[in-house]
Amino acid sequence: MIDFSLSDDLLEIQSRARHFAQSEILPIAAEYDRKAQVPPGITAKARAAGLLNVTIPKEYGGMGYGALQSAIIAEELGAACAGISITILVNGLSLTPVQLFGTEEQKVKFLRPVAEGAKLAAFCLTEREAGSDAGALKTTALPDGDDFVINGQKCFVTSGGLAEIMTVFALTDPDRGARGVSAIVVPADTPGIRVTKVEDKMGQRASNTVELTFENVRVPQANLLGKRGHGFSIALQTLDFGRSGVAALSVGVARAALEYATAYAKERHQFGVPIIVNQGVSFMLADMAMKVEAARLLTWQAAWLADTGTRATGKSAMAKCFASDTAMEVTTCAVQIWAGNGYMRDYPVEKLMRDAKLLQIYEGTNQIQRMVIARQLGK
């Protein structure tokens, strides 16, 4: 029988995440958005609250949570600040290839130090000419004895300037195109890795986003994840698993915008009445509320499918696409309801609107999500 109520365990996780978001993230969100910096010590605080590295199994120092538990956390953190939240959440994306395809030795070597030390990891897939077309990678990792030697550039790397380890996708067999891509774990302190640009973003500014250059970076072939040449498949499966997290983050952003807009519409008086009694505003709020609820249910379904071990490419794409489109629409409507005040950085909805835009872009643009959904329908 279908049951939409949360269990006691899930309610406890939700309450803990909400308390952390409201007490540790929300009070500093505007400040670090202006500074374009990750708040010092935020990852250690998140780990102490049991909210960092939540999908890493307990035997490797993590919380051992599934996709649904992680989605509930992501919504609560996202409602406070998407930028700070993505720093906390990105390890789930970056380390999923190790969890899904790593050997026992690799899991002990790479997962445990990150989880136990409240450290960060980075996911290095995108390049300037290989964004949506991830099969067009140019970065190489050529075999040399017992090592791979990596050369190339990666861009838009979240936490790339702060990470301890990186999952890097590169061509080990360049002549094979996408079938020559492999996934390799690279310690961030390996000689030859440089941050060559720190991005100045429109939104989600309280996260670290950089361009990385790899110059003759030598790592052991033992750091290869899965089979050589299977990196593209590893990337796609990782993104399938992680898209419910982006969807949940989107729900959090949208929910916050709806709450701010509703409260403002009750307090703001024009022509002698609160503006919420005007049909033009009340219908806008009603549409916003419906879409937030629908986005949450679709997100939970995609996360639940991931937890059952079901390969749900279409449903995860639907959740990410619909929820992030909802976040963009709802935050835009919130700015409209706040009117002139909403456009000013003195008030919170302006930041929510800027943060929402990136949700439609990273981990696969929403145009790509629609292509994925259409292909699934075609099957």
Side-chain angles (χ1 to χ4, degrees):
M1 182 175 182
I2 295 174
D3 184 355
F4 291 100
S5 62
L6 296 181
S7 66
D8 289 344
D9 287 344
L10 289 174
L11 287 171
E12 188 279 326
I13 291 170
Q14 184 183 59
S15 176
R16 177 157 39 90
R18 183 169 297 181
H19 174 75
F20 181 84
Q22 298 300 309
S23 62
E24 298 292 346
I25 296 179
L26 187 59
I28 61 174
E31 175 188 355
Y32 283 93
D33 176 73
R34 288 192 298 270
K35 290 180 176 178
Q37 295 176 1
V38 176
I42 195 67
T43 54
K45 290 180 179 179
R47 183 181 186 276
L51 301 173
L52 184 70
N53 298 316
V54 296
T55 59
I56 293 179
K58 290 182 179 179
E59 58 265 36
Y60 307 115
M63 297 299 295
Y65 290 164
L68 181 56
Q69 294 159 311
S70 181
I72 288 170
I73 291 170
E75 177 181 336
E76 297 304 326
L77 300 186
C81 177
I84 295 173
S85 298
I86 199 63
T87 300
I88 296 170
L89 299 170
V90 75
N91 278 11
L93 172 70
S94 306
L95 298 175
T96 291
V98 183
Q99 292 174 230
L100 295 181
F101 300 97
T103 64
E104 179 63 23
E105 182 180 355
Q106 288 173 329
K107 291 176 184 179
V108 171
K109 182 177 180 181
F110 298 123
L111 295 181
R112 186 172 291 160
V114 172
E116 293 180 349
K119 297 175 181 177
L120 293 173
F123 187 77
C124 301
L125 176 63
T126 303
E127 299 177 6
R128 295 292 174 187
E129 301 303 322
S132 296
D133 183 10
L137 298 180
K138 295 291 188 284
T139 296
T140 58
L142 302 180
D144 184 21
D146 293 332
D147 296 335
F148 288 118
V149 179
I150 304 174
N151 283 282
Q153 286 187 324
K154 297 292 180 178
C155 65
F156 309 145
V157 183
T158 302
S159 297
L162 306 174
E164 294 285 329
I165 65 169
M166 305 170 178
T167 302
V168 178
F169 294 85
L171 290 163
T172 49
D173 299 278
D175 294 339
R176 300 188 65 205
R179 294 185 178 183
V181 175
S182 297
I184 304 166
V185 181
V186 181
D189 61 358
T190 306
I193 301 175
R194 294 185 294 115
V195 174
T196 45
K197 184 181 181 183
V198 178
E199 301 292 353
D200 186 12
K201 306 188 296 294
M202 177 175 77
Q204 299 195 26
R205 292 173 55 78
S207 64
N208 174 256
T209 307
V210 304
E211 178 184 83
L212 294 172
T213 296
F214 297 80
E215 294 180 353
N216 296 319
V217 175
R218 185 174 289 270
V219 295
Q221 290 198 32
N223 288 15
L224 175 72
L225 294 173
K227 295 182 180 180
R228 185 165 154 178
H230 287 203
F232 192 54
S233 175
I234 290 172
L236 293 179
Q237 290 184 59
T238 298
L239 291 169
D240 274 356
F241 186 84
R243 280 175 181 143
S244 62
V246 177
L249 189 64
S250 302
V251 173
V253 171
R255 188 192 85 197
L258 172 62
E259 290 171 351
Y260 281 123
T262 303
Y264 186 82
K266 291 177 180 178
E267 298 168 1
R268 174 69 170 171
H269 284 65
Q270 290 288 275
F271 307 104
V273 295
I275 62 173
I276 197 169
V277 306
N278 296 318
Q279 190 178 83
V281 174
S282 64
F283 278 17
M284 190 183 298
L285 288 167
D287 286 341
M288 292 159 69
M290 285 190 289
K291 290 185 178 180
V292 170
E293 292 295 324
R296 181 183 293 112
L297 290 174
L298 192 55
T299 297
W300 284 4
Q301 183 191 33
W304 173 76
L305 286 168
D307 285 339
T308 64
T310 305
R311 184 78 186 271
T313 300
K315 283 290 170 54
S316 66
M318 288 179 188
K320 191 272 182 184
C321 187
F322 185 81
S324 57
D325 279 352
T326 294
M328 193 70 247
E329 180 180 345
V330 170
T331 56
T332 302
C333 288
V335 169
Q336 186 70 21
I337 289 169
W338 278 63
N341 286 335
Y343 201 67
M344 304 303 162
R345 293 199 173 185
D346 298 338
Y347 300 99
V349 291
E350 176 269 345
K351 175 182 178 297
L352 289 169
M353 184 178 173
R354 287 188 288 108
D355 286 349
K357 186 61 210 175
L358 189 54
L359 297 166
Q360 295 179 300
I361 297 172
Y362 60 24
E363 291 200 36
T365 68
N366 283 5
Q367 287 70 36
I368 291 294
Q369 304 308 317
R370 286 175 168 83
M371 289 174 59
V372 170
I373 295 163
R375 286 173 182 168
Q376 292 297 308
L377 293 173
K379 292 181 180 179

